[in-house]
């Protein structure tokens, strides 16, 4: 799911009228909640929730509670689910932002290694955690 930049959408709105709203809303509505955003990306990728959860390394019931909104996740839990869902860096950052957390920060060694793992095709959080531990960094909890 490629979202348009807010500045670009503001530019479109500057010349839009009320009668343009239906088309604008249909074309440019994006999930505001990180859960909806993650699930829409999983759907695009043809991945179901169970595969994402398995790859995330989270306990199954706990992960389903997070995804259903029963539990509020930490930054690491959103990272684990995003990573487990095979999201790219921009998508992971967007999930974090929509969840109320800071995106991956390149000056933070842990965040930088997570980004490198995404770019290297590491698919499971257990493998990511081994990389983090090997470098003396705290694993995702």
């Amino acid at each position: 799911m490629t979202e348009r930049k807010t500045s670009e959408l503001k530019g479109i709105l500057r010349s839009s009228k009320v009668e343009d709203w239906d088309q604008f809303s249909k074309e440019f509505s994006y999930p505001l909640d990180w859960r909806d955003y993650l699930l829409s990306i999983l759907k695009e990728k043809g991945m179901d929730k169970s595969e994402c959860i398995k790859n995330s390394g989270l306990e199954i019931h706990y992960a389903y509670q997070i995804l259903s909104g029963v539990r509020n996740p930490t930054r690491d839990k959103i990272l684990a689910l995003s990573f487990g869902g095979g999201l790219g860096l921009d998508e992971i950052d967007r999930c974090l932002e929509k969840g109320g957390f800071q995106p991956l920060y390149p000056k933070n060694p842990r965040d930088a290694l997570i980004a490198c793992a995404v770019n290297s095709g590491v698919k499971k959080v257990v493998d990511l955690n081994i990389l983090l531990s090997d470098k003396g960094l705290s694993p995702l909890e």
Side-chain angles (χ1 to χ4, degrees):
M1 165 178 283
T2 304
E3 290 188 12
R4 292 226 179 144
K5 293 185 182 220
T6 302
S7 59
E8 185 179 348
L9 294 177
K10 284 183 178 180
I12 294 169
L13 282 176
R14 282 188 185 96
S15 62
S16 296
K17 307 249 186 285
V18 171
E19 53 270 12
D20 301 326
W21 184 85
D22 286 331
Q23 181 61 33
F24 180 88
S25 177
K26 184 177 179 181
E27 193 171 338
F28 301 118
S29 289
Y30 304 109
L32 296 177
D33 182 78
W34 77 270
R35 291 171 186 88
D36 294 335
Y37 181 73
L38 173 66
L39 294 174
S40 68
I41 293 171
L42 294 179
K43 186 177 179 181
E44 281 180 14
K45 293 178 176 284
M47 179 184 284
D48 59 22
K49 283 190 241 184
S50 61
E51 185 179 355
C52 172
I53 290 170
K54 180 181 172 187
N55 292 341
S56 77
L58 297 176
E59 193 275 322
I60 294 169
H61 294 13
Y62 182 68
Y64 274 108
Q65 288 176 336
I66 289 172
L67 290 175
S68 67
V70 172
R71 291 192 180 253
N72 290 321
T74 62
R75 183 178 188 264
D76 274 5
K77 300 299 187 246
I78 292 178
L79 273 171
L81 288 165
S82 298
F83 196 88
L87 275 65
L89 288 178
D90 291 338
E91 295 165 329
I92 290 172
D93 281 348
R94 203 70 185 118
C95 265
L96 289 169
E97 290 170 346
K98 286 176 179 280
F101 297 100
Q102 292 295 316
L104 292 173
Y105 185 59
K107 291 183 179 180
N108 177 312
R110 182 177 184 251
D111 283 0
L113 184 55
I114 291 170
C116 290
V118 169
N119 292 336
S120 297
V122 177
K123 299 290 182 203
K124 295 185 178 183
V125 171
V126 67
D127 297 327
L128 171 63
N129 282 341
I130 290 169
L131 286 171
L132 289 166
S133 294
D134 286 349
K135 299 295 183 186
L137 302 167
S138 59
L140 294 182
E141 295 184 17

